[in-house]
């Protein structure tokens, strides 16, 4: 009998829209509150990256008038669950097209958080260069999120949602990091100290992976 192919159910599109020799995609992962957004802002300033946060794109889509996905996204975010990948991958692909400022360097923050998203994105949008992973203990992340919740206005920065987000992170997102680790594509940075101290380490590790600071 012919072997069954797991790819039969894959989407019909099988070549990426963007090519890694022209477009650099770096995935930025870490638990909720690990400091992904904070470090991304520094990298944007110094390296000429375009920053795309999957969570921000989902929140914008949720609030977009007439969006057919708004209610669904709202529910998933409050429960700390991963929105079906079709929506997130499409939002990211659109953003890469719209927001490229000609430099072709993208930080994709908070994505991929589930294996199916990782596979679909790399097959149909663009293969990644590596994953920048911020490693932070849960108690530190909880404290940061509770603090952020005082001003963030986010529906998921409360104790109950935070617990659910951690569960999703451990059960669903860490396996993605482990899969990239097997490909030797994870750059792990401890994320407990101050933002500036952490960034020193980030810069060092970016250099090791061939990323130089952009000229000011
Ligand atoms: N989310 C998702 N898919 C993604 C990224 C985010 O469904 O690829 C949802 C998920 O519910 C997550 C929420 O958006 O808990 C907030 O994500 P964000 O990255 O903004 O949170 P952070 O980890 O930065 O606190
Ligand atoms: Mg964030």
């Amino acid at each position: 009998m012919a072997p069954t192919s797991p790819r039969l159910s894959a989407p019909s599109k099988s070549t990426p829209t963007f090519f890694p020799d022209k477009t650099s995609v770096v995935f930025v992962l870490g638990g909720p509150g690990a400091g992904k957004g904070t470090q991304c802002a520094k990298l944007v300033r110094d390296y000429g990256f375009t920053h795309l946060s999957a969570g921000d794109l989902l929140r914008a889509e949720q609030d977009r008038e007439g969006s057919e996905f708004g209610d669904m996204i709202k529910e998933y975010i409050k429960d700390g669950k991963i929105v079906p990948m079709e929506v997130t991958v499409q939002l990211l692909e659109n953003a890469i097209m719209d927001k490229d400022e000609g430099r072709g360097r993208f930080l994709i923050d908070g994505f991929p958080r589930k294996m199916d998203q990782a596979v679909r994105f790399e097959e149909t949008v663009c293969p990644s260069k590596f994953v920048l992973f911020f490693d932070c203990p849960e108690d530190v992340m909880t404290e940061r999120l509770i603090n952020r919740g005082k001003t963030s206005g986010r529906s998921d920065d409360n104790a109950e949602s935070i617990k659910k987000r951690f569960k999703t992170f451990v059960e669903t997102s860490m396996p993605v990091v482990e899969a990239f680790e097997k490909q030797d594509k994870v750059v792990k940075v401890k994320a407990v100290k101050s933002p500036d101290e952490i960034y020193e380490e980030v810069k060092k590790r970016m250099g090791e992976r061939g990323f130089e600071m952009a000229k000011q």
Side-chain angles (χ1 to χ4, degrees):
M1 203 174 75
T4 49
S5 162
R7 294 179 62 104
L8 277 180
S9 62
S12 52
K13 189 173 156 215
S14 58
T15 46
T17 307
F18 302 93
F19 294 99
D21 55 336
K22 290 224 176 69
T23 305
S24 296
V25 164
V26 174
F27 292 142
V28 182
L29 292 177
K36 303 182 291 290
T38 304
Q39 294 298 320
C40 281
K42 296 176 184 294
L43 287 164
V44 165
R45 181 193 63 199
D46 294 340
Y47 290 80
F49 279 104
T50 299
H51 176 228
L52 301 177
S53 154
D56 288 349
L57 290 170
L58 286 165
R59 281 183 286 272
E61 177 64 20
Q62 169 196 298
D63 295 338
R64 188 173 64 82
E65 200 151 335
S67 167
E68 57 182 305
F69 304 116
D71 291 342
M72 176 194 61
I73 294 173
K74 203 170 288 173
E75 242 171 74
Y76 273 81
I77 288 186
K78 205 157 75 15
D79 280 344
K81 289 188 307 194
I82 308 300
V83 171
M85 64 152 170
E86 288 79 4
V87 175
T88 316
V89 171
Q90 191 61 57
L91 288 171
L92 283 168
E93 180 165 11
N94 293 350
I96 291 177
M97 279 196 260
D98 294 348
K99 299 206 175 143
D100 187 9
E101 288 150 32
R103 293 170 302 210
R105 281 186 171 187
F106 293 92
L107 286 175
I108 306 214
D109 165 2
F111 178 96
R113 285 162 126 97
K114 193 171 171 181
M115 216 46 231
D116 64 350
Q117 294 178 320
V119 172
R120 175 70 69 94
F121 183 92
E122 293 206 306
E123 275 183 6
T124 69
V125 183
C126 189
S128 64
K129 293 280 186 258
F130 59 91
V131 174
L132 184 57
F133 174 62
F134 291 105
D135 188 22
C136 191
E138 212 166 288
D139 55 337
V140 176
M141 295 194 279
T142 306
E143 195 188 320
R144 289 178 185 165
L145 291 172
I146 296 285
N147 271 324
R148 183 172 80 183
K150 292 175 190 157
T151 53
S152 71
R154 272 179 51 165
S155 63
D156 59 349
D157 282 345
N158 59 74
E160 196 186 329
S161 293
I162 290 169
K163 243 206 261 153
K164 293 177 179 170
R165 288 157 69 194
F166 280 138
K167 186 168 164 9
T168 301
F169 173 64
V170 171
E171 290 176 359
T172 311
S173 305
M174 276 314 287
V176 177
V177 177
E178 282 151 21
F180 280 114
E181 233 155 25
K182 289 200 185 108
Q183 303 172 41
D184 208 17
K185 276 173 75 171
V186 176
V187 172
K188 184 157 138 182
V189 174
K190 265 222 142 325
V192 182
K193 294 185 187 164
S194 71
D196 285 337
E197 284 169 304
I198 295 164
Y199 188 53
E200 285 308 309
E201 178 71 15
V202 169
K203 283 193 286 192
K204 214 159 67 195
R205 309 298 299 278
M206 293 299 288
E208 287 166 11
R209 289 271 169 165
F211 276 88
E212 300 303 329
M213 298 233 255
K215 291 196 180 66
Q216 299 296 312

